Amino acid sequence: MVVGLEKYGRMAATARADVVCAELRYRRSIAAGSGPGRFGAAVAEMDFGAAPPIVDAVTRLTADATFGYLPPRLADELAAACADFEQRRFRWGIDGGSVRPVPDVIKALEIAITHFSRPGWPVILPTPAYMPFLIVPGLVGREIIQVQMHDDEGFFTLDLDGIDAAFRVGGHLLIFCSPYNPLGRVFSLDEMTRPTEVVERHGGRVFADEVHGPLVYPGSRHVPYASTSDAAAAHTLTAISAWKAWNLPGLKCAEVILSNEPDRQQSGDMGPFASHGASNPGVVANLATFRHGEPWLDEVLAYLDESRKPLADLVSQRLPRVRYRPPDGTYLTGLDCTPDGPGLLARRADRRARSGDRRGRPGVRGRWRRVVPVQLRDTALADGGDDRADRRGSERWLAGRVVVAVAGAGRPRSKLVLLVRRVRPPPPGRRPGCGCRPCRQHGGRTAHCPSRYRA
């Protein structure tokens, strides 16, 4: 989503689309760098500027030239502010001594796998999933057991029987993303408590990715998984950060919450370098958000909430065969283009998205599913570019644009722009594999497939 921004990120009354787009391209983030004239809709970052408390905090840090190693004082302040924020925002009472700074959630997952799960045992991952979660376990020598989520007409829920089976065949660490990236689900309290029994039955562990926790819309409430019971707290490591809700991934700071004493003891035995890498600017920025960033966040949530609602009507009117469910939280959602496939969008694009198979196996037994992640940016992006279709091996990339109007006074027309990939069906007699690049290139599952180990 894009909103007009005044200096230091304060929201203007109307969107200055041309200025904002120029600013995004000047920043050269991944989202703005997906190709000439394109924005990466699959990149989970917002286009809002920084909240004023963040700018002030980083400015003071620069003036003080605090560019050395992370001072223990800052780490202690961050831990206390994080604990206060969790209590205030999510009613989760934790002690500051249970909070550890890390560079990012990927590092937190690496620590959870290498230090808090059984050596060599596979990682269990519900899919579709945040794409790095399909990569990181392999980098540290672990197999992945993918468990496809239940899909009830776009309403996704955890497959607890599948997770139970994954534990039975050797899985030990369950990755649980809540709110769920990339589907935008915010699980109910009842849903949050159900995995605990399965995990406890097998003596497993849980890595809870809750970085999208602050991005929840009215009608839903984020419940930290480890807060649901003493049993959940005893087997969980929770990763949080201000980087999604306040758009700070480049400042490199996240927090791991160790909700039980054995894990805190083990963390102390690991030494400082196991989690080393949180930057001073990232720490002071997270401090500023936890202490003073909620008014800005509430304004952002109101804007995002207003922007997500028209999309359901627009999709039903203009794309009647596409399935869409408004997200409960996050600024991510998906369009299920399964009935029409890539023929749905057949012209040029200034937005690039990734199809669903990048986030896990594409479907069940021959059904080539395409759940396309999108972020609706409320801006009038410039037209331009020729029709293009670029063959890459067995893939054909087709660009397409659907122009939609977003209701609201003073807002420009919006363009929901996607790029959808078409994959040729596998040759007769070949298994389709999981949909990853090696499987597509070879027409079936190969030794290079990162997710060949499944329940």
Side-chain angles (χ1 to χ4, degrees):
M1 310 252 176
V2 171
V3 63
L5 303 174
E6 293 181 342
K7 192 174 184 181
Y8 301 131
R10 186 165 57 86
M11 297 185 186
T14 59
R16 300 177 292 119
D18 52 345
V19 176
V20 172
C21 288
E23 290 176 353
L24 293 176
R25 292 190 174 97
Y26 178 76
R27 294 177 197 166
R28 292 189 178 276
S29 69
I30 297 176
S34 297
R38 295 178 181 173
F39 286 89
V43 180
E45 64 179 19
M46 293 192 295
D47 302 337
F48 296 102
I54 297 173
V55 176
D56 294 341
V58 175
T59 300
R60 287 194 301 270
L61 178 85
T62 303
D64 295 339
T66 310
F67 301 141
Y69 293 108
L70 179 63
R73 170 187 58 84
L74 276 182
D76 292 342
E77 289 184 31
L78 175 65
C82 174
D84 290 343
F85 177 80
E86 290 293 312
Q87 173 64 53
R88 186 171 63 249
R89 193 85 180 181
F90 307 124
R91 308 171 199 168
W92 185 20
I94 60 173
D95 183 81
S98 64
V99 180
R100 304 287 188 272
V102 292
D104 51 42
V105 172
I106 301 304
K107 181 64 174 179
L109 174 59
E110 179 184 333
I111 292 171
I113 294 173
T114 56
H115 295 282
F116 293 90
S117 71
R118 292 171 187 157
W121 290 46
V123 171
I124 303 169
L125 179 64
T127 56
Y130 174 49
M131 288 175 289
F133 290 168
L134 290 157
I135 300 171
V136 173
L139 297 179
V140 294
R142 300 297 182 90
E143 299 280 5
I144 301 174
I145 305 176
Q146 294 188 37
V147 180
Q148 192 80 358
M149 297 182 73
H150 288 308
D151 178 6
D152 182 10
E153 296 298 321
F155 184 79
F156 286 81
T157 55
L158 293 173
D159 180 359
L160 295 179
D161 291 337
I163 293 173
D164 183 77
F167 276 113
R168 287 200 307 271
V169 298
H172 183 242
L173 179 72
L174 169 67
I175 299 176
F176 184 24
C177 189
S178 175
Y180 203 88
N181 175 5
L183 301 174
R185 275 293 327 272
V186 176
F187 298 105
S188 67
L189 178 59
D190 180 58
E191 289 178 294
M192 294 295 294
T193 58
R194 290 177 184 175
T196 303
E197 181 182 351
V198 177
V199 177
E200 285 291 291
R201 185 185 310 138
H202 298 281
R205 300 301 308 266
V206 171
F207 173 77
D209 170 18
E210 300 185 357
V211 295
H212 288 93
L215 292 165
V216 173
Y217 300 117
S220 299
R221 184 172 76 89
H222 170 60
V223 179
Y225 172 73
S227 72
T228 58
S229 68
D230 291 341
H235 63 228
T236 303
L237 289 86
T238 304
I240 68 166
S241 178
W243 68 343
K244 293 300 183 185
W246 286 270
N247 206 39
L248 303 174
L251 292 183
K252 307 307 291 181
C253 179
E255 296 80 35
V256 173
I257 300 175
L258 305 172
S259 48
N260 61 81
E261 187 56 37
D263 285 351
R264 289 191 285 269
Q265 179 62 45
Q266 183 170 344
S267 173
D269 296 340
M270 287 160 45
F273 291 103
S275 58
H276 176 73
S279 74
N280 291 358
V283 169
V284 299
N286 274 249
L287 261 171
T289 60
F290 292 149
R291 289 175 173 172
H292 311 295
E294 288 177 87
W296 186 90
L297 174 63
D298 292 339
E299 190 177 357
V300 168
L301 282 171
Y303 188 94
L304 294 174
D305 185 28
E306 183 181 352
S307 298
R308 72 178 172 129
K309 293 174 182 176
L311 183 56
D313 294 334
L314 294 167
V315 169
S316 64
Q317 293 168 10
R318 297 175 180 265
L319 306 172
R321 298 187 65 188
V322 171
R323 194 170 65 184
Y324 164 71
R325 180 183 180 274
D328 309 315
T330 80
Y331 44 79
L332 305 171
T333 188
L335 299 180
D336 186 353
C337 303
T338 303
D340 292 285
L344 174 68
L345 307 170
R347 288 177 293 177
R348 59 190 182 275
D350 46 17
R351 185 73 45 80
R352 178 167 177 169
R354 297 187 186 275
S355 65
D357 59 355
R358 294 290 184 90
R359 299 176 183 269
R361 56 186 175 187
V364 293
R365 293 201 177 120
R367 186 183 180 193
W368 288 86
R369 185 174 198 82
R370 289 292 174 265
V371 180
V372 183
V374 300
Q375 294 177 54
L376 183 64
R377 300 170 186 262
D378 195 11
T379 179
L381 296 175
D383 290 335
D386 298 327
D387 293 348
R388 58 177 77 86
D390 177 23
R391 286 185 179 273
R392 301 181 181 180
S394 64
E395 303 173 4
R396 177 188 296 272
W397 293 78
L398 296 177
R401 182 173 57 217
V402 181
V403 180
V404 296
V406 173
R411 295 208 181 154
R413 292 181 65 83
S414 297
K415 293 178 181 178
L416 173 60
V417 188
L418 310 175
L419 190 68
V420 182
R421 185 181 64 238
R422 176 166 59 203
V423 182
R424 290 179 179 175
R430 295 284 189 91
R431 299 180 66 184
C434 72
C436 69
R437 184 174 294 275
C439 289
R440 294 195 308 273
Q441 289 177 338
H442 296 278
R445 192 171 301 163
T446 72
H448 302 286
C449 173
S451 9
R452 59 191 180 277
Y453 193 133
R454 296 194 179 88

